[in-house]
Structures are given as C-alpha cells and as structure tokens.
Amino acid sequence: MELAAAEAQLGVLLPVRHRQAMLDPADPIHEAYDFLVLASPFELLRWVEVNESLHAPNQWNSWPRFVVAFASNGCGDYFAYDTRTEPYRVYYIGPEFTVSQAIATCEAEGVVFSNFDDWYSYAVSRDA
C-alpha cells in the first residue's frame, strides 16, 4: 500500500516530518519507539492494520476515527493524533483508559504535544 492510500484510508494527512520518518528505516525514531510503518514483517508495527484493529467496533475500547495511532512503547499503549485539531495534537493513550479518558488525563496533566515535530523532538532526545 502506498502512503497516500493509507492516509486516505485512515482519514489523516501526515505532517512532512512524519512522512520522512515513516519512509526512512534509518531514522532514529525507529530506535526510540515502536514507530508504525506501512509494511513490516511484524503485525503490530503495521500502521493501517493497527489502526483498523483499534477502530474495530467489536473492541471493548473501540477508538473513534478521529484518533490515529502512530507509535507505541510496545505494551498496548500508543501515541496518537487527534485529527480534529490543526495541526494534529499528539496524545498518549494507555491501555487502561478509554480514548476520551486518556485525552482528558493528558489535558489535565499538561502532557499534550502540540504537533508531531514537538513529539518527535521529545522522543528522539529521550532515547539519546
């Protein structure tokens, strides 16, 4: 699947820096987090498949379509875009919360990234 088709399927237009990181396997973000990509031998790293699973109506905590995951710590948690904002805000969605609870908690605690570039800077510097 091409990136533009994946974006259309998920209803998101990725920021330039995100596109670059997704298409460059040598980008340092791939060492910092489980960064979701278009194709991977690992099912839990496939961007579209992970999001389709998270959005599936049969999940106990089905995600609304406006929240799109793009990275994980590898334990059922995700960093995700809220596509209702411009630029997209980035939230941490842990496995113990519903999406609305996670967003409210991030807002209350001031742990919200205003855009992908801010999250990327944090993620790469955290790993360094």
Side-chain angles (χ1 to χ4, degrees):
M1 177 178 287
E2 291 187 26
L3 185 52
E7 288 174 312
Q9 185 170 338
L10 296 176
V12 63
L13 182 59
L14 295 178
V16 171
R17 183 72 194 96
H18 187 151
R19 290 172 142 259
Q20 291 168 341
M22 185 179 274
L23 298 172
D24 179 5
D27 191 286
I29 198 64
H30 299 283
E31 293 294 321
Y33 284 99
D34 288 344
F35 195 71
L36 305 181
V37 294
L38 290 175
S40 172
F42 305 104
E43 184 178 340
L44 296 176
L45 290 180
R46 296 181 202 142
W47 186 47
V48 171
E49 290 177 31
V50 165
N51 276 285
E52 289 301 322
S53 175
L54 293 169
H55 295 127
N58 63 340
Q59 297 288 331
W60 81 268
N61 185 18
S62 182
W63 285 28
R65 285 279 175 197
F66 63 82
V67 180
V68 179
F70 64 84
S72 173
N73 284 309
C75 60
D77 65 336
Y78 293 95
F79 289 95
Y81 289 123
D82 179 343
T83 62
R84 300 173 299 177
T85 63
E86 183 59 42
Y88 305 143
R89 285 188 189 135
V90 175
Y91 292 96
Y92 173 76
I93 312 293
E96 68 279 8
F97 296 113
T98 65
V99 171
S100 58
Q101 289 170 328
I103 288 174
T105 299
C106 288
E107 293 282 355
E109 295 176 1
V111 186
V112 178
F113 296 93
S114 60
N115 57 49
F116 179 82
D117 291 341
D118 287 351
W119 176 84
Y120 181 91
S121 295
Y122 158 81
V124 172
S125 67
R126 176 185 154 271
D127 189 56

